[in-house]
Amino acid sequence: MLKTDHLNVDMFEKFAPRPGERALVPELTPKAQVALMCRMLFAEGWDDHIAGHITVRQPDGTILTNPWELTWDEVTASDIVTLDDKGNILDSNWNTTPAIGLHLQLHDARSEINVVIHNHPKWSGIWANLQETPPIYDQAGAYCGSELPIYNEYLGTFENQATSLTAVEALGDAKWALLAHHGALVVGRDLRQAHLRAATLEWRCRRAYEVRLAGGAEPLAADVIKQVSLPDPNGFPFLWEAMARRELRRDPNVLS
């Protein structure tokens, strides 16, 4: 029997960082946070060459995104591009992907979404190509719940505004989706929440494929998934900071 009683709201309130406590990461500019997010997700398997894009809406309505020309594991803070809400570049000589329209439409359609992530990860990409929803076999795969829609109407690439708008409408109010024959899409309120969702999705997909190759097993029951899903809407305590510190150890120049 899984021990699930430790995953409760009281635990998250008890261990939530409080004012005056030791900082878990150095003070980071918004652009440094986005650059770190690129590095962190690259390490999680969101690493299809120069494909993929992260957008983060700022309080003033501008949007930060990674440049088209760079891989996620080489992006630094100074490379991050600022866009207006129409996608116009405000402060960079880098380019943005033509598929940025999908992100802009999502930000426009859902006011609660400040982070949008799209790439072609290995493990979730397998299930997207199978057009199947991966079962959940362990606690780490259940952190964000079980519902996972598949957008299975491949109409072309996302630089076509009609195609991207169809994907936005199909996503509805979901927090993530598999894009058939394409990749994965994750949205979130902030970087911490979006990171947990992206990492959980790839873990879930990897474990499900490994279990299938091993001959199959009984997935977690729906009531168990509900018990172990994290109650904190802002992600797993300390996880974002821990993964950020790992990237800072690997390459402190990410902040430059």
Side-chain angles (χ1 to χ4, degrees):
M1 180 66 181
L2 286 171
K3 296 290 186 179
T4 59
D5 55 345
H6 66 293
L7 290 174
N8 54 56
V9 175
D10 290 341
M11 182 202 71
F12 288 89
E13 293 178 347
K14 177 181 179 181
F15 291 108
R18 291 177 172 81
E21 291 186 351
R22 179 181 176 183
L24 296 177
V25 291
E27 187 173 350
L28 300 169
T29 67
K31 288 193 173 187
Q33 294 176 36
V34 179
L36 278 167
M37 186 75 161
C38 290
R39 302 288 189 101
M40 291 154 60
L41 291 183
F42 185 93
E44 297 285 353
W46 294 67
D47 59 358
D48 182 10
H49 305 91
I50 64 168
H53 17 98
I54 299 173
T55 54
V56 183
R57 179 164 50 193
Q58 301 300 291
D60 65 358
T62 60
I63 294 172
L64 302 180
T65 190
N66 57 294
W68 193 14
E69 296 93 333
L70 303 179
T71 60
W72 284 16
D73 65 332
E74 66 176 329
V75 172
T76 66
S78 60
D79 296 320
I80 298 302
V81 181
T82 306
L83 309 174
D84 65 19
D85 60 0
K86 305 300 182 184
N88 298 307
I89 296 174
L90 300 179
D91 65 353
S92 179
N93 291 321
W94 292 118
N95 293 302
T96 58
T97 171
I100 201 72
L102 170 67
H103 291 235
L104 299 177
Q105 289 171 335
L106 277 165
H107 286 301
D108 186 56
R110 293 175 59 180
S111 60
E112 83 281 8
I113 289 177
N114 293 313
V115 180
V116 181
I117 304 166
H118 169 60
N119 207 315
H120 315 141
K122 176 179 178 179
W123 302 103
S124 49
I126 290 173
W127 291 94
N129 291 338
L130 291 170
Q131 298 186 54
E132 294 182 34
T133 301
I136 298 175
Y137 290 102
D138 62 5
Q139 179 172 302
Y143 283 155
C144 298
S146 60
E147 184 177 353
L148 175 58
I150 300 174
Y151 173 62
N152 59 7
E153 191 174 345
Y154 194 82
L155 300 173
T157 53
F158 282 142
E159 59 263 28
N160 180 294
Q161 289 189 354
T163 299
S164 58
L165 184 58
T166 302
V168 170
E169 293 169 347
L171 183 65
D173 61 356
K175 56 179 168 279
W176 52 18
L178 296 178
L179 308 175
H181 309 297
H182 191 165
L185 181 69
V186 169
V187 300
R189 182 185 65 195
D190 52 29
L191 288 171
R192 186 191 310 276
Q193 185 183 72
H195 171 263
L196 177 66
R197 290 174 176 179
T200 299
L201 177 60
E202 196 65 358
W203 181 276
R204 170 181 172 178
C205 289
R206 175 182 176 178
R207 280 289 181 261
Y209 192 67
E210 290 171 338
V211 169
R212 174 172 287 192
L213 292 179
E218 186 70 24
L220 289 182
D223 61 331
V224 176
I225 293 171
K226 185 176 181 180
Q227 290 179 55
V228 301
S229 293
L230 295 176
D232 180 12
N234 199 31
F236 199 103
F238 317 134
L239 177 62
W240 195 92
E241 291 83 358
M243 298 301 98
R245 292 195 305 273
R246 182 176 66 181
E247 296 308 318
L248 288 169
R249 291 192 298 271
R250 289 176 176 174
D251 182 9
N253 291 324
V254 65
L255 300 184
S256 65

